[in-house]
Amino acid sequence: MIMTKEAFTKQQVKRGKKVLRLVSSINAFIYRVSNGRLWSKWAGKYPIMVLPTMGRKTKKIRHIPLIKVLYKNQPLLVASMGGAPIHPSWFFNVQNNPNIEVQIGSEKKNYQAIRASEEEKESLWPTICSFYSDYQVYQERTQRNIPVFICTPIENETPQS
C-alpha cells in the first residue's frame, strides 16, 4: 500500500544522506576487508551483503551495504532508502550499469540486475519482507514505489571492484 503523504521531506533526506553515506562506507569497508566476518549485520540482527556500483557521473566505485535478501538463492536488491521520497543513488547506478557484483561473506559473484515488474515485485514482496519486515513500513511511508532488482548470475564476467 502506498501512502498519500510522504513521511520525510526531500530536505530531511538530503541531510540524512551525508551521515548515511559515511556510516555505510565504513560498514562496507570493514565487511569487505574481513570477508564478511565483521560488521556483517544491520542493527546487529539482519545479515547484509555489499554491492559495489560505479557512479554514473563520478565514475567512482562505491560499496553499498544492503540487507541480504535472497530468492532462489540469488540476491534481490531493494531500493528502499528507509521509505524516503527519493531513490537511493545506487539505484540509478545499477539501472545505468546492470552488470554488477555482489559480495556475500567472502564470496563475490557477478550478476545482471533486472528491475522487477509490478507483478514480479508483488509476488516477491512477502519473501522480501520475510528477510526484513520493515520494508513494508518503508513502503507505507512513501508514495514512491520502492524498486526491486532481481539478480541473475553471469558467468565469466570481470567484476567492477
Side-chain angles (χ1 to χ4, degrees):
M1 176 178 190
I2 296 177
M3 282 184 50
T4 56
K5 185 176 185 224
E6 294 292 343
F8 303 108
T9 66
K10 289 185 180 180
Q11 192 62 32
Q12 288 171 317
V13 172
K14 287 179 183 179
R15 283 195 301 264
K17 260 179 100 169
K18 291 179 182 180
V19 173
L20 183 60
R21 182 175 285 156
L22 175 63
V23 172
S24 292
S25 66
I26 293 168
N27 186 173
F29 175 77
I30 292 171
Y31 182 94
R32 289 174 35 240
V33 299
S34 73
N35 282 322
R37 289 187 301 274
L38 301 173
W39 284 33
S40 60
K41 294 189 177 184
W42 171 253
K45 185 175 178 182
Y46 304 99
I48 65 167
M49 56 190 175
V50 173
L51 169 71
T53 65
M54 181 184 300
R56 292 173 302 141
K57 298 173 188 172
T58 65
K59 303 300 181 203
K60 290 182 182 178
I61 301 289
R62 301 210 192 281
H63 295 86
I64 314 299
L66 298 173
I67 300 286
K68 183 175 82 171
V69 177
L70 301 176
Y71 177 71
K72 296 184 178 178
N73 212 30
Q74 305 304 327
L76 297 176
L77 310 179
V78 183
S80 67
M81 201 162 153
I86 60 174
H87 295 313
S89 298
W90 69 259
F91 165 82
F92 300 103
N93 298 338
V94 170
Q95 191 170 289
N96 188 60
N97 183 8
N99 290 343
I100 61 165
E101 175 189 89
V102 175
Q103 179 178 350
I104 299 176
S106 61
E107 189 173 56
K108 296 177 183 178
K109 288 188 177 179
N110 298 308
Y111 297 94
Q112 182 176 34
I114 301 166
R115 187 168 176 181
S117 69
E118 279 310 301
E119 296 78 24
E120 288 170 319
K121 179 187 170 188
E122 188 175 318
S123 163
L124 292 168
W125 198 247
T127 299
I128 290 166
C129 291
S130 75
F131 282 85
Y132 186 63
S133 61
D134 281 352
Y135 282 135
Q136 183 60 38
V137 174
Y138 296 167
Q139 184 60 80
E140 291 169 359
R141 278 186 190 162
T142 184
Q143 296 174 27
R144 176 175 68 89
N145 188 4
I146 293 174
V148 172
F149 289 96
I150 301 168
C151 297
T152 305
I154 298 176
E155 301 299 324
N156 302 322
E157 284 286 323
T158 305
Q160 288 182 15
S161 61

